[in-house]
Amino acid sequence: MSVGARLLGLLPRHADVVQVRRSPRGDLLAGLTVAIVALPLALGFGVSSGLGAEAGLATAVVAGALAAVFGGSNLQVSGPTGAMTVVLVPIVAEYGPSGVLTVGLMAGVMLVVLAVLRAGKYMRYVPAPVVEGFSLGIACVIALQQVPNALGVDKPEGERVLVVTWRALGEFAQHPNWTAVAFAGAVAAVMLVGSRRWPKVPFSILAVIAATVVAQLARLDDARPIGDLPSGLPAPSLAFLDVSALGSLFTAAVAVAALAALESLLSASVADGMTVGQKHDPDRELFGQGLANIAAPLFGGVPATGAIARTAVNVRTGARSRLAAFTHAVVLAVIVFTLAPLVSRIPLAALAGVLLATAVRMIEVGSLRAMVRATRSDGLILVLTAVATLALDLVYAVVIGLAVAGALALRAVAKQARLDQVPLDHGDHSAEEHALLAEHIVAYRIDGPLFFAAAHGFLLELAEAADVHVVIVRMSRVTTIDATGALVLKDVVEKLNRRGITVMASGIRSGQRRVLDSVGALDLLCLEGSEYATTPEAIQAARRYLERAGVLPPLPAQVPRAAGVPAQEAAR
């Protein structure tokens, strides 16, 4: 399929329009509710990123609208998120706001490329412990990022969140601001306690409004506000783009694109699980997020992803189509144009309280407990991913989590491999002849995978075979074989050959034959160029070989197969 055809397949479809027409009133109400929940989050994440509240609003409006139209989920709500903020803070510190906008643009292009390459399906290969550890680490980082605003101090210098938090605590100890602490604590407490008793009430916006009113009426100078906001979106511009800096920003853009893909597809999967009959298209979702991240920087917005919390609110309030997510973006745009002066008076500490409560909600204690109790490997992967997220960054955390999960999975698979000495089949031989053959021929059966993680250990046992003339390797139960396994098997055969022991194989499958032949092991395993489908055939060939070598006397007569002998397949 051509690139053009793939792009056409990623565009909105008639089915999307049909879905929108089914329940417009419910979608409009859901979109309004999500907008109320999203407003303080967009402002807070914009402030946390270092680009300001206006950047968070621009992302929620522009990226939210485009992702709603072009994304692959009917229920996904996109915008600035805490996970993305975690990645952006060090980029702002090193490259400034223009660097973040450039990184967002580059990441958007990468997401579109991933969509065209149909990379969305690979999300399913991320293990659950990695996702849980990733979410736990992000929640901790988001909470720590709010410490300066929650304490009412200027954000200290530093890239690592632990260092910044420690310095903020030191500054607070010297110049305490209890007003900010009270606002942050009260807003967080109202959200956490209120949402448990009345989950459908938007306590985040109510708590922020209450904090703003108190700060204005009491004229609390210690409650620092957001500051001036533009009364509308800026005109789209590429003035931030510095072509010479693209090379140095490439790694950061890869990190942002990887995170946007991971979080968006995870959020869409969560939305599918909360409904009946909804199923997202992962490649279309990447395409929609790519377009959203290409457009958002043009309006001064930070990179966006699918937002799990806002998507969950969207589903719970009755959304049925992408009209709800689009409505959420439109409502936020109206707020930007009409209520900017009022929004600018919101205390920063109140927004810090919103994000602190959000971080606490992200920690699913039940899921974490279940994952840790599942197996020690799952617990180890979860903890390592969470610690790496907190101490390093998100991309390193995911890479470390996947690497450890892969290594442990290979270890578990390798343990399934087994080498057993098996008795020779009685079917084609008398008792006397069978006893005579057993003195000179031994058979081993390989069970399970024969690959790089499993080959060396148990094949060493084969190299130490007893003092016989022929070793038959039964391979019909080998589930997989790679070049390393074939090379180790070849090495074992050569060692036995040097001891004067002939090695033959039975039950070699077609897929195994190609791998064995590529490393030169097939000829060593097939005496006189013949392959043996079953073990009895290999035994007969070994019998003829030993007769020619003068080890065994000639067979006087063919003994017929006894009644009740197992089928041929069982003898392999």
Side-chain angles (χ1 to χ4, degrees):
M1 184 183 295
S2 66
V3 174
R6 289 185 181 179
L7 283 173
L8 287 176
L10 297 172
L11 294 176
R13 302 163 185 171
H14 178 68
D16 300 331
V17 178
V18 173
Q19 188 75 18
V20 167
R21 292 175 177 173
R22 289 180 178 174
S23 180
R25 182 178 299 179
D27 288 331
L28 291 172
L29 180 60
L32 176 61
T33 304
V34 174
I36 293 173
V37 173
L39 177 60
L41 293 175
L43 295 169
F45 288 135
V47 171
S48 295
S49 70
L51 269 71
E54 61 273 17
L57 283 173
T59 300
V61 173
V62 177
L66 285 173
V69 174
F70 292 96
S73 171
N74 288 324
L75 306 174
Q76 179 94 287
V77 178
S78 300
T81 63
M84 187 60 73
T85 301
V86 173
V87 174
L88 297 180
V89 169
I91 299 175
V92 174
E94 186 171 355
Y95 300 104
S98 62
V100 172
L101 300 180
T102 303
V103 163
L105 183 66
M106 295 171 65
V109 174
M110 293 178 185
L111 288 171
V112 171
V113 172
L114 289 175
V116 173
L117 295 177
R118 298 179 177 177
K121 58 186 176 182
Y122 295 107
M123 169 62 190
R124 72 187 70 166
Y125 297 114
V126 179
V130 174
V131 175
E132 292 292 341
F134 180 72
S135 300
L136 174 61
I138 288 173
C140 294
V141 173
I142 292 172
L144 292 175
Q145 283 181 339
Q146 309 318 309
V147 170
N149 284 335
L151 298 179
V153 301
D154 293 329
K155 183 179 178 181
E157 295 293 328
E159 295 183 11
R160 298 298 179 190
V161 67
L162 293 173
V163 175
V164 172
T165 301
W166 179 256
R167 292 174 179 173
L169 290 171
E171 189 172 339
F172 176 80
Q174 296 178 4
H175 306 286
N177 184 342
W178 296 109
T179 300
V181 173
F183 273 128
V187 170
V190 167
M191 288 180 61
L192 293 174
V193 175
S195 61
R196 288 188 177 182
R197 298 195 62 181
W198 301 283
K200 293 186 178 181
V201 177
F203 282 101
S204 59
I205 192 68
L206 294 178
V208 168
I209 291 174
T212 305
V213 171
V214 170
Q216 293 299 309
L217 293 178
R219 299 183 182 278
L220 299 176
D221 295 333
D222 289 343
R224 294 183 299 172
I226 292 175
D228 294 337
L229 291 174
S231 57
L233 294 175
S237 172
L238 278 172
F240 63 86
L241 185 62
D242 181 5
V243 178
S244 62
L246 296 182
S248 60
L249 292 171
F250 180 79
T251 302
V254 171
V256 169
L259 177 60
L262 178 66
E263 190 171 14
S264 298
L265 295 177
L266 174 62
S267 177
S269 298
V270 170
D272 290 348
M274 296 176 65
T275 59
V276 177
Q278 294 282 356
K279 184 174 179 60
H280 74 284
D281 183 329
D283 295 322
R284 281 190 66 192
E285 184 60 32
L286 291 179
F287 182 69
Q289 295 296 335
L291 294 183
N293 279 288
I294 290 173
L298 304 182
F299 295 88
V302 297
T305 74
I308 296 178
R310 276 156 275 179
T311 299
V313 171
N314 194 40
V315 175
R316 288 172 184 152
T317 50
R320 292 293 181 269
S321 76
R322 57 191 68 229
L323 177 61
F326 186 79
T327 302
H328 132 273
V330 172
V331 172
L332 289 177
V334 171
I335 293 174
V336 172
F337 281 106
T338 61
L339 302 178
L342 295 178
V343 173
S344 65
R345 298 177 185 178
I346 296 174
L348 288 171
L351 294 180
V354 171
L355 299 187
L356 284 171
T358 301
V360 173
R361 286 176 175 176
M362 288 178 64
I363 301 175
E364 297 286 347
V365 178
S367 297
L368 293 175
R369 186 184 293 116
M371 202 66 61
V372 171
R373 289 178 175 177
T375 65
R376 284 186 294 179
S377 296
D378 290 332
L380 175 63
I381 294 167
L382 189 153
V383 172
L384 281 177
T385 306
V387 171
T389 301
L390 187 60
L392 302 174
D393 64 43
L394 302 189
V395 176
Y396 280 125
V398 173
V399 170
I400 290 172
L402 289 175
V404 174
L408 292 176
L410 287 174
R411 179 170 172 265
V413 172
K415 285 184 176 180
Q416 299 175 7
R418 192 173 70 252
L419 179 72
D420 296 320
Q421 183 174 347
V422 293
L424 299 182
D425 182 70
H426 285 267
D428 293 329
H429 315 287
S430 64
E432 294 79 6
E433 184 187 358
H434 181 270
L436 183 62
L437 290 175
E439 293 180 5
H440 303 282
I441 304 173
V442 64
Y444 287 91
R445 182 180 62 222
I446 301 176
D447 284 323
L450 187 60
F451 71 131
F452 70 93
H456 292 83
F458 70 82
L459 283 182
L460 291 177
E461 302 176 29
L462 185 57
E464 303 299 326
D467 186 16
V468 294
H469 289 86
V470 177
V471 170
I472 296 175
V473 181
R474 301 171 65 173
M475 299 185 62
S476 61
R477 296 190 184 182
V478 174
T479 56
T480 185
I481 184 171
D482 68 355
T484 303
L487 282 171
V488 174
L489 182 58
K490 176 186 176 184
D491 182 57
V492 169
V493 173
E494 290 175 339
K495 287 181 179 179
L496 291 172
N497 289 164
R498 286 194 293 270
R499 290 172 51 195
I501 299 174
T502 299
V503 181
M504 306 166 65
S506 67
I508 299 176
R509 300 178 182 177
S510 57
Q512 301 167 0
R513 187 180 300 113
R514 180 177 58 83
V515 180
L516 293 169
D517 189 45
S518 67
V519 299
L522 188 61
D523 292 339
L524 296 176
L525 293 169
C526 299
L527 188 65
E528 299 176 350
S530 301
E531 294 185 30
Y532 313 105
T534 64
T535 302
E537 292 179 18
I539 294 173
Q540 291 293 341
R543 178 72 162 87
R544 293 191 295 270
Y545 168 77
L546 294 175
E547 287 177 4
R548 291 194 299 270
V551 176
L552 291 178
L555 186 65
Q558 179 66 35
V559 179
R561 179 179 294 274
V565 173
Q568 183 175 344
E569 176 63 26
R572 292 183 177 181

